[in-house]
Amino acid sequence: MERVLSKLIDQGKIIKIGYSLYAKATISPLSSQVIPRKGGLPELATEALQRLKVEVVPSSYDKAYNAGLTTQVPTSRVIAVKERIARKIGYGGTYTSFEYAP
């Protein structure tokens, strides 16, 4: 199984975003690098966490922005979860951060 996944990664058909987490990939027309087909990193991480049965909620940054307490638009790289998680989800040297939201 690992050889098949390695072959698909080498061909640029999938990209590894975490331990046992993969996403369909494509070649970027701008940089010629392998990037995920779906949206950005927050969308990939949220979908991966939902598949792992981890409840995702709005982060404190999202809540503050939506309440009008700040004008800084959150990057959504911080994802709030209802339970502890010790995974790194990301690609290309960029990873999401997790915030515990009881």
Side-chain angles (χ1 to χ4, degrees):
M1 180 74 162
E2 185 150 337
R3 279 190 262 162
V4 173
L5 291 173
S6 295
K7 187 175 181 181
L8 290 172
I9 290 172
D10 292 341
Q11 292 173 353
K13 297 194 184 229
I14 63 172
I15 187 170
K16 187 170 184 169
I17 60 170
Y19 178 74
S20 296
L21 295 172
Y22 298 89
K24 291 179 184 177
T26 187
I27 306 294
S28 170
L30 301 175
S31 64
S32 300
Q33 292 182 342
V34 179
I35 59 170
R37 280 188 195 169
K38 259 194 175 176
L41 183 57
E43 185 179 340
L44 287 171
T46 302
E47 183 178 336
L49 289 171
Q50 288 172 349
R51 286 178 181 249
L52 294 169
K53 309 266 191 273
V54 175
E55 187 178 352
V56 178
V57 295
S59 69
S60 61
Y61 302 109
D62 292 328
K63 289 178 185 176
Y65 179 74
N66 291 335
L69 301 175
T70 182
T71 58
Q72 293 183 343
V73 179
T75 62
S76 297
R77 294 240 170 103
V78 176
I79 298 174
V81 292
K82 287 282 194 176
E83 58 190 69
R84 278 185 45 154
I85 185 160
R87 283 185 174 256
K88 286 175 67 176
I89 300 176
Y91 64 92
T94 305
Y95 296 94
T96 57
S97 299
F98 299 108
E99 171 183 76
Y100 178 68

